Amino acid sequence: MTFNKQDILDAFKRRVATRYYDGNRKISDEDMKFILELGRLSPSSIGSEPWRFVVVQNPALREAIKPVGWGVANQLDDCSHLVVFLAKKHARYDSEFLRDVLIRRGFEGEQLQAGLARYKQFQTEDMKQAANEQTLFDWACKQTYIALANMMTGAAMIGIDSCPIEGFNYEAVNKILADAGIFDLAEWGVSVMATFGYRSREIVSKGRKPFDEVVQWVR
């Protein structure tokens, strides 16, 4: 299967962080499911998929986020969809979560034990991420950004705008959503958010560094 390269580049060039949406235009259920499916199908380290995508359409919850979400407050009334990306906590090599990941990939018996041993080395020696809960959570958060990028790019390719959001009080947003019963704070935490919809005005694209400044060939 091949795609027109220029069409893809044009979508990348048109995609910009959209902070002002047309509140009268809503993304269809079909298109939003497509965008979320791009997230679900995204790659992740060791196939861990340490994410959940929470689509917050509830007006009361959006209002509760406004005072602690300075980077998203002016988008919440008009954006079509707000997606909160959750990252898994405690995804350590000896957790049931990671064991289930390998079983889902078809590991069993000695192969399963060998896989767990390999990921123990990966987490304790290679990346040294098993040292504490924060480094493990940071690793899981990194995976959610792969899904985030794919969702924003795919949205742009079908004419839908988006904006990634890190500008909010993480502790407060975690509490708002956990208190609403959306997730268990012992198991999940907010990694990042994104708004989706249709821009209400044209946006000047940000400049990018020259190709040769960011790409290094080692032959």
Side-chain angles (χ1 to χ4, degrees), residues 14 25 154-161 197-198:
R14 188 175 186 277
R25 297 187 66 189
M157 293 181 71
I158 60 172
I160 293 173
D161 298 300
Y198 297 94

Side-chain angles (χ1 to χ4, degrees), residues 3-217:
F3 300 91
N4 184 292
K5 288 183 285 187
Q6 189 57 54
D7 286 345
I8 296 171
L9 283 172
D10 288 344
F12 267 75
K13 291 175 182 177
R14 188 175 186 277
R15 191 220 61 76
V16 290
T18 301
R19 294 180 172 83
Y20 298 95
Y21 291 95
D22 183 345
N24 295 315
R25 297 187 66 189
K26 301 301 179 184
I27 301 170
S28 69
D29 290 345
E30 178 185 358
D31 283 348
M32 197 62 212
K33 185 175 180 181
F34 166 77
I35 293 168
L36 292 163
E37 185 72 349
L38 297 179
R40 187 184 74 85
L41 295 174
S42 294
S44 58
S45 180
I46 64 174
S48 54
E49 301 174 73
W51 50 49
R52 283 178 58 191
F53 313 127
V54 179
V55 186
V56 181
Q57 300 300 85
N58 182 285
L61 282 177
R62 288 194 181 192
E63 283 297 321
I65 290 172
K66 280 183 182 180
V68 295
W70 55 269
V72 72
N74 67 349
Q75 303 173 34
L76 289 177
D77 287 336
D78 295 326
C79 73
S80 176
H81 289 71
L82 169 67
V83 180
V84 178
F85 293 72
L86 303 182
K88 186 73 176 73
K89 295 180 178 179
H90 322 301
R92 228 171 73 133
Y93 63 87
D94 55 357
S95 66
E96 284 299 315
F97 175 82
L98 198 55
R99 175 181 289 269
D100 289 345
V101 166
L102 297 185
I103 291 173
R104 189 173 64 247
R105 290 172 55 189
F107 285 52
E108 57 183 20
E110 293 183 1
Q111 184 186 32
L112 175 59
Q113 297 308 312
L116 292 171
R118 178 66 187 88
Y119 293 129
K120 177 181 180 180
Q121 178 185 329
F122 169 68
Q123 290 190 333
T124 60
E125 301 295 333
D126 298 338
M127 289 196 72
K128 300 187 188 307
Q129 61 193 205
N132 58 65
E133 292 182 0
Q134 186 61 52
T135 54
L136 280 171
F137 181 64
D138 290 345
W139 170 75
C141 286
K142 288 198 298 184
Q143 313 315 311
T144 70
Y145 278 71
I146 302 173
L148 169 68
N150 284 340
M151 288 166 65
M152 291 193 302
T153 299
M157 293 181 71
I158 60 172
I160 293 173
D161 298 300
S162 62
C163 184
I165 309 291
E166 291 183 322
F168 56 93
N169 183 307
Y170 279 72
E171 182 178 357
V173 171
N174 269 296
K175 187 176 188 309
I176 289 167
L177 299 179
D179 285 351
I182 294 170
F183 64 90
D184 181 355
L185 267 177
E187 298 295 331
W188 298 91
V190 175
S191 170
V192 66
M193 298 194 290
T195 52
F196 293 87
Y198 297 94
R199 67 185 71 177
S200 61
R201 62 184 77 171
E202 280 308 307
I203 308 168
V204 177
S205 297
K206 290 183 179 179
R208 289 293 187 267
K209 295 177 181 178
F211 183 89
D212 291 339
E213 188 174 329
V214 298
V215 178
Q216 179 180 357
W217 297 88

